[in-house]
Amino acid sequence: MSDLVFQVKGLHKTFGRKGLLRRGRVVQALHGVGFEVAEGAALGVVGESGSGKSTLARILVGLEKPDRGTITFKGRPLGDCLREPTAFYRQVQFVFQNPYAAFNPRKRVGAILDTHLRHLTDLKAPARRDRIREIMTATQLDDGLLRRYPHSLSGGQAQRLSLARALLSRPAVVVMDEPVSALDVSVQARILRLLRDLRESFSFTLVFISHDLAVVDYLCGETIVMREGEIQERGPTAALLSQPATSYTLELLEACRSVEAGTGLSLR
């Protein structure tokens, strides 16, 4: 059996507060969520908007704290790992849905990547430059982009830059939150092919958040289906698509098939 990267048990997360003097809607984003991620796996997490999948991703990388439940990373409590943030984020990287919002708009691309490496590694300047060139090539980005600002990049270039930054420290795990949903269809397909190639080259564990079963089918060997903060089912992606165990998964499948034409991806 493979070593476990993440082990999640009884995860709860609520946004908003109750009480006579506290107004506002209370949303239970996660309710008793538990699962495991094996080293080297590609796990898809799918569900409609509001299913809790993005909250789950943010908790895994320490951007949100759960109300209850436990998470371990490589056998250690996540809270302990986060007390050593440099060591943790050297191993675990997050790719946001909106790449432009993830970059300092006042810095050029080269400075953004160099700052990331300086924070996470002990590499000297010449070695950092070599690493940056290597990653730029791997993510199909021209070195000339290093002198440009993020806002001048196309959507596809900006998302490739997000991938490049995430891979600079050679992480063990990359968590991605809807990274292609804002891109047009042809660019989506190119980014997804690149991502599959990068997993082979860099051998990282992938947790991929999406609302699109066709995308998850293309990338992930195993899938979790979430609805209203709970896991509806989990299993090998091929089996889940061929014989969905819940009516909700079937609804997602049918919705995906209805927009499948022209995407460049197809469900089995």
Side-chain angles (χ1 to χ4, degrees):
M1 180 176 171
S2 299
D3 293 334
L4 296 179
V5 177
F6 284 114
Q7 190 170 25
V8 178
K9 295 181 179 179
L11 212 61
H12 291 257
K13 179 65 178 179
T14 300
F15 294 101
R17 294 182 177 181
K18 296 180 179 179
L20 293 175
L21 301 180
R22 296 169 180 170
R23 297 180 179 179
R25 183 184 176 200
V26 175
V27 177
Q28 191 160 30
L30 298 175
H31 181 69
V33 170
F35 61 94
E36 298 172 345
V37 183
E39 184 177 359
L43 174 68
V45 182
V46 298
E48 61 191 351
S49 178
S51 63
K53 58 189 189 297
S54 292
T55 298
L56 175 61
R58 293 175 66 84
I59 288 175
L60 287 179
V61 299
L63 297 179
E64 298 278 359
K65 291 184 178 180
D67 300 328
R68 283 186 288 148
T70 61
I71 307 174
T72 61
F73 174 68
K74 294 188 174 181
R76 292 182 63 201
L78 183 62
D80 291 353
C81 296
L82 291 171
R83 293 189 185 97
E84 304 169 28
T86 300
F88 178 72
Y89 289 115
R90 187 183 298 129
Q91 296 185 79
V92 179
Q93 284 288 298
F94 189 58
V95 175
F96 293 87
Q97 179 178 2
N98 181 356
Y100 298 105
F103 300 131
N104 185 338
R106 298 182 179 181
K107 285 191 173 185
R108 298 179 192 268
V109 168
I112 289 170
L113 297 181
D114 187 65
T115 298
H116 189 77
L117 263 181
R118 282 193 292 108
H119 286 166
L120 293 182
T121 73
D122 297 323
L123 294 176
K124 303 300 183 184
R128 292 199 305 271
R129 287 194 293 269
D130 289 343
R131 178 74 61 82
I132 289 170
R133 291 191 191 98
E134 174 194 352
I135 295 298
M136 292 288 283
T137 298
T139 52
Q140 301 174 1
L141 290 169
D142 188 272
D143 283 357
L145 297 181
L146 294 171
R147 297 185 293 276
R148 291 169 57 179
Y149 290 93
H151 67 81
S152 71
L153 304 181
S154 69
Q157 289 171 331
Q159 201 53 275
R160 283 188 175 88
L161 180 60
S162 290
L163 279 169
R165 183 172 65 175
L167 295 176
L168 278 172
S169 63
R170 303 187 188 279
V173 182
V174 178
V175 179
M176 308 186 76
D177 185 13
E178 298 269 17
V180 298
S181 62
L183 304 175
D184 66 47
V185 168
S186 61
V187 177
Q188 279 188 33
R190 290 197 292 271
I191 295 291
L192 292 171
R193 285 194 293 268
L194 172 63
L195 181 56
R196 194 158 69 172
D197 291 342
L198 289 170
R199 279 204 70 238
E200 293 182 6
S201 301
F202 290 86
S203 301
F204 55 86
T205 301
L206 175 66
V207 179
F208 192 92
I209 309 300
S210 180
H211 65 277
D212 190 332
L213 279 168
V215 171
V216 169
D217 184 31
Y218 184 77
L219 289 174
C220 302
E222 193 165 8
T223 297
I224 288 173
V225 178
M226 293 190 65
R227 183 184 191 186
E228 296 179 351
E230 297 182 337
I231 292 177
Q232 296 292 295
E233 62 176 302
R234 176 182 180 171
T237 305
L240 188 145
L241 293 178
S242 62
Q243 292 184 311
T246 68
S247 59
Y248 177 67
T249 302
L250 184 59
E251 289 173 12
L252 292 178
L253 189 56
E254 292 302 324
C256 188
R257 283 179 174 144
S258 71
V259 296
E260 187 178 328
T263 63
L265 300 173
S266 60
L267 289 163
R268 25 181 116 239

